[in-house]
Amino acid sequence: MSMFRCIAGLCTAAALLIQPARAQDSAEAAPAIAVDPVVGDYSSVQMELAAGLRLNRDGTFDYGLTVGSLDERARGRWARVGDRIELVSDPRPVAPTITASRIEQGLDNAFAIRLVAPNGRDIPGIDLRIDFDTGQPLESYVAGGPWTLPADETRRPRFVTFSKKSYRIDSGPLPLRADAGTVAIFLLTPNDFGVVDLTGAYLERDGDHLVLTRPEGKILFARADPASD
């Protein structure tokens, strides 16, 4: 929940930013600057989920969410459009990419696949799909080390596709040279890993709450109480 705490921990600073303008030293007070009442900090806490949202008075926003093993964050601009508050990520995040890296000799006569980070460590939990020269594809996942074909698989692999929807990972079909006794190594370049693109998402009022709607679903946010920070 560290990301949620980071967002919610900004509430006191936000409260200071939206205080009404003070009178000048002269007898005439400075003109009041209207602040959109939606400006402020919001939170959502559910089973295994914690999220924070800040709408800044300058038209920017900050967002963070933790649910299970997924952490995501976003920032950008917000604007009123009719009854909605529309969000635009700025800058637009760049999704992770996966590319073929190199072929190495294996320790035995089997063919294997590795997916590694720039530091050379194997990446676990990424789904993969193997397309063969004939028949139906095989779906599996890398567990943090070399992945090998089932012992009874006699077809010749032609393509591999890596994917993880929650982190916007989708390599598309990558050509596969599946020679016995070799390891095909693929490189995952993180780019803006963990940064979600909220362009097209929007907020709507539901009583005293805000509802964030995005393709993945809806999140109900309640206004945070700065006095509780």
Side-chain angles (χ1 to χ4, degrees), residues 35-54:
V35 176
D36 193 311
V38 80
V39 164
D41 292 270
Y42 300 82
S43 63
S44 180
V45 180
Q46 305 171 28
M47 183 178 297
E48 297 188 354
L49 180 150
L53 173 69
R54 157 170 280 191

Side-chain angles (χ1 to χ4, degrees), residues 4-220:
F4 164 71
R5 291 195 294 268
C6 177
I7 294 292
L10 298 174
C11 293
T12 301
L16 293 175
L17 288 174
I18 61 175
Q19 293 299 317
R22 295 186 177 182
Q24 302 297 318
D25 292 337
S26 62
E28 183 179 356
I33 300 176
V35 176
D36 193 311
V38 80
V39 164
D41 292 270
Y42 300 82
S43 63
S44 180
V45 180
Q46 305 171 28
M47 183 178 297
E48 297 188 354
L49 180 150
L53 173 69
R54 157 170 280 191
L55 298 178
N56 298 302
R57 64 182 299 174
D58 65 356
T60 62
F61 75 87
D62 297 281
Y63 162 87
L65 175 143
T66 295
V67 54
S69 61
L70 173 66
D71 291 319
E72 63 180 25
R73 62 193 186 279
R75 65 187 312 174
R77 295 175 284 107
W78 65 271
R80 283 190 175 275
V81 180
D83 294 332
R84 292 180 175 179
I85 297 168
E86 297 190 353
L87 306 179
V88 175
S89 287
D90 186 16
R92 298 288 291 271
V94 178
T97 59
I98 296 178
T99 54
S101 177
R102 62 190 184 277
I103 301 292
E104 293 183 348
Q105 291 298 312
L107 299 178
D108 52 36
N109 198 42
F111 166 72
I113 292 173
R114 290 179 61 200
L115 178 63
V116 301
N119 62 8
R121 294 185 179 180
D122 288 272
I123 299 175
I126 305 298
D127 298 325
L128 62 78
R129 164 179 163 148
I130 304 293
D131 286 283
F132 298 90
D133 49 0
T134 61
Q136 296 297 312
L138 170 66
E139 294 185 352
S140 184
Y141 66 96
V142 290
W147 179 92
T148 57
L149 287 169
D152 59 351
E153 182 57 72
T154 59
R155 296 175 296 168
R156 187 171 183 79
R158 294 298 187 187
F159 299 93
V160 59
T161 301
F162 298 94
S163 62
K164 191 71 171 180
K165 184 178 179 181
S166 57
Y167 283 108
R168 300 188 302 144
I169 295 174
D170 185 357
S171 69
L174 300 172
L176 198 58
R177 180 177 174 180
D179 295 335
T182 64
V183 181
I185 300 177
F186 294 85
L187 173 67
L188 188 151
T189 302
N191 294 321
D192 294 321
F193 186 84
V195 181
V196 64
D197 189 352
L198 290 184
T199 301
Y202 59 89
L203 298 160
E204 293 178 299
R205 279 196 174 277
D206 182 2
D208 294 331
H209 298 75
L210 286 179
V211 179
L212 172 64
T213 300
R214 48 189 289 205
E216 295 78 7
K218 298 177 182 287
I219 302 177
L220 181 67

